[in-house]
Amino acid sequence: MNVSYMAHVSGRVQGVYFRASSQQIAIEYSLSGYARNLTNGGVEVLMCGEEKNIEKMIKWLEQGPPEAEVDNIDVQKVPWQEHHFFAIS
C-alpha cells in the first residue's frame, strides 16, 4: 500500500550531503518525494511509496550520512502525494 510520510530532521544536517544521500537511499528503496533544507537549519524529507520501504528510510534518516549528526527526527503520516521521482530542492 502506498503512503506518504513527512520527516523533519534536526541537528548537523546541512552542508553534510544529507539531501543528496537521502536521494540515493530513497531511489534504492523505490521512494519518491523530496528533501529540502529549511531556514531553521533542519531538513524536510517527504517520502512516498510502500510503507515498509518508508520505514527503512526513516531508520536511515535517524542516522543520516557519516558526516551528519542527527539530534531529532519528527515523522508524521500525511495525505498521499503523487511524485514521480525523488527531488532535492
Side-chain angles (χ1 to χ4, degrees), residues 70-82:
V70 176
D71 292 337
N72 189 49
I73 179 171
D74 178 39
V75 181
Q76 294 182 342
K77 190 172 186 177
V78 296
W80 170 252
Q81 296 186 35
E82 185 73 34

Side-chain angles (χ1 to χ4, degrees), residues 14-33:
Q14 290 189 14
V16 293
Y17 302 103
F18 199 96
R19 292 176 300 148
S21 299
S22 296
Q23 183 184 48
Q24 292 172 351
I25 298 298
I27 290 168
E28 184 178 319
Y29 294 145
S30 301
L31 299 175
S32 61

